Amino acid sequence: MSRNIIEVNDLTKKYDELVAVDSISFDVKEGEIFSLVGPNGAGKTTTVEILECLRKPTSGNARVLGHDVKNEDEKIKKKIGVMPQDFNTFERLTAEENIKLMGDLYGSDNVKEIMRKVGVDKFKNKKFDDLSGGMKTKVGIGMTLISNADLLFLDEPTTGLDPHARRETWNLIKDLKKMGKTVFLTTHYMEEVEYLSDRAGILINGKIEVIDSIENLIEEHGGGIKVKVLEDGEAVDIINDRADEVLRGEDTWTGIFDNKKEARQALIKLFQLDAKVEVEEAGMDEVFLRLTGGKIDEGGELV
Ligand SMILES: Nc1ncnc2c1ncn2[C@@H]1O[C@H](COP(=O)(O)OP(=O)(O)OP(=O)(O)O)[C@@H](O)[C@H]1O
Ligand SMILES: [Mg+2]
């Protein structure tokens, strides 16, 4: 088992009467991509910024890299890389100059290597202001890497990006993991959480609804694996005999299997019959819907 890089216990943050973060507890393991997913106003940034020592908790405690966020903030700040939400930087400086500036701050001279790693070298001489959203994100991630931190916080790194730039950013975040970094990510995109994270917590109104590996979340809250049989005959018997629930369509029979093992066994039988089947495994969208009764739209609103 990897060691805990972050430990959060009963953390609460109030802004006057508003409870933005409501007694949350979780751990982040070394080397994993951990995500907090939730709609606008859920408390993601507040949580992240407490861990980055930019805001003080009202109560509870959190340790980052073994240090207490309340009184060891200088130690923590030196060891983390941070990309804030709506990240921006010196607009008139070039991509390279921005990364170099951060490098100077940390006494680090591996600007070239970082630019190559995050794919900034192709546009390094462009002014930040003239870059696309995806390019800006690469510069931002480059700036988090320059301090050589092993723990990176990325607060909604892909919000507002077009699908292509979002994919590129996902690949880059996977590369960060391969480099051995621990990544703390926030997002409101379910497919992003599912694609990137090892473990994730769903945050709503300052509370963590569930937290687990993506696989376990889907297994426990996804509503099962759907196997749809498209023709009458023996195949239907297999579905009726083995599935936990059967839904009748016009010419279809959909078996819902609560666990993978059962589904797999039924599928083997169906394939032996050469039956026409469609398999649909739930995703994080389904998990979110089942837990909250709603979904998060493209703009991050709970609907
Ligand atoms: N400095 C502040 N003063 C007062 N209220 C605040 C402050 N910062 C955040 N809030 C409120 O706390 C709640 C949580 O905000 P937070 O920014 O942490 O959410 P979020 O999940 O990051 O949302 P988003 O997806 O919009 O970035 C919201 O209701 C917000 O309006
Ligand atoms: Mg936020």
Side-chain angles (χ1 to χ4, degrees):
M1 201 65 183
S2 320
R3 73 185 173 113
N4 291 337
I5 287 266
I6 299 177
E7 293 179 332
V8 176
N9 283 302
D10 269 338
L11 195 72
T12 295
K13 174 71 177 180
K14 294 183 188 165
Y15 300 110
D16 297 321
E17 294 297 291
L18 178 83
V19 187
V21 171
D22 194 355
S23 193
I24 62 172
S25 302
F26 61 90
D27 301 323
V28 176
K29 317 263 177 233
E30 185 170 33
E32 74 176 347
I33 301 181
F34 178 88
S35 300
L36 272 188
V37 59
N40 294 341
K44 303 182 295 295
T45 299
T46 301
T47 305
V48 166
E49 293 193 348
I50 290 172
L51 298 176
E52 295 166 353
C53 307
L54 299 174
R55 302 190 201 196
K56 292 271 175 224
T58 309
S59 62
N61 56 62
R63 297 185 80 80
V64 175
L65 296 155
H67 307 298
D68 190 328
V69 294
K70 279 190 224 152
N71 49 35
E72 295 179 288
D73 46 326
E74 290 312 317
K75 285 184 185 155
I76 294 173
K77 283 179 185 168
K78 273 190 206 138
K79 295 187 190 170
I80 59 175
V82 169
M83 188 165 120
Q85 185 166 11
D86 302 322
F87 156 77
N88 228 316
T89 185
F90 294 95
E91 293 175 351
R92 288 165 187 277
L93 298 185
T94 65
E96 177 170 22
E97 285 164 346
N98 269 299
I99 295 179
K100 190 163 180 310
L101 192 70
M102 197 58 106
D104 291 345
L105 215 61
Y106 281 96
S108 161
D109 59 3
N110 54 345
V111 175
K112 283 207 164 61
E113 187 197 341
I114 299 278
M115 285 201 301
R116 189 177 44 75
K117 273 188 182 157
V118 299
V120 161
D121 39 1
K122 288 166 230 134
F123 52 85
K124 64 180 182 184
N125 294 322
K126 274 199 177 191
K127 272 193 200 143
F128 187 79
D129 209 15
D130 295 333
L131 301 178
S132 69
M135 290 169 171
K136 284 179 176 167
T137 305
K138 286 181 184 168
V139 175
I141 292 177
M143 289 168 77
T144 69
L145 286 173
I146 200 86
S147 64
N148 221 0
D150 291 325
L151 171 60
L152 309 179
F153 291 92
L154 309 176
D155 193 358
E156 298 206 31
T158 69
T159 297
L161 296 185
D162 64 58
H164 174 73
R166 194 172 289 162
R167 279 261 156 212
E168 280 203 338
T169 306
W170 289 358
N171 291 338
L172 185 51
I173 294 172
K174 289 238 172 187
D175 287 346
L176 298 177
K177 182 180 152 97
K178 282 186 210 138
M179 287 175 214
K181 310 287 179 190
T182 305
V183 180
F184 191 112
L185 179 80
T186 74
T187 181
H188 61 251
Y189 300 115
M190 289 302 154
E191 68 228 273
E192 179 162 313
V193 177
E194 191 175 327
Y195 182 70
L196 287 179
S197 341
D198 297 296
R199 291 186 315 128
I202 295 183
L203 189 70
I204 297 185
N205 287 329
K207 288 198 173 75
I208 291 187
E209 299 288 326
V210 282
I211 195 158
D212 213 329
S213 66
I214 297 300
E215 199 178 304
N216 287 349
L217 287 175
I218 291 175
E219 175 115 17
E220 279 170 38
H221 306 283
I225 298 155
K226 291 184 184 142
V227 178
K228 189 191 270 186
V229 172
L230 305 173
E231 62 196 359
D232 209 346
E234 236 179 297
V236 177
D237 298 338
I238 292 175
I239 290 292
N240 279 323
D241 288 349
R242 291 171 177 261
D244 296 292
E245 198 187 329
V246 180
L247 304 175
R248 262 312 293 268
E250 213 166 290
D251 301 308
T252 61
W253 290 258
T254 301
I256 302 175
F257 293 83
D258 292 342
N259 78 61
K260 273 188 182 166
K261 204 172 152 211
E262 296 290 328
R264 208 176 293 131
Q265 281 168 356
L267 277 170
I268 291 170
K269 294 267 175 212
L270 290 167
F271 288 139
Q272 281 168 352
L273 281 179
D274 212 11
K276 274 194 207 131
V277 294
E278 278 172 10
V279 183
E280 202 183 297
E281 219 179 323
M284 283 298 291
D285 265 329
E286 192 84 24
V287 171
F288 191 83
L289 182 68
R290 283 173 172 270
L291 284 169
T292 68
K295 58 177 198 157
I296 302 178
D297 72 10
E298 181 64 24
E301 293 297 331
L302 189 62
V303 289

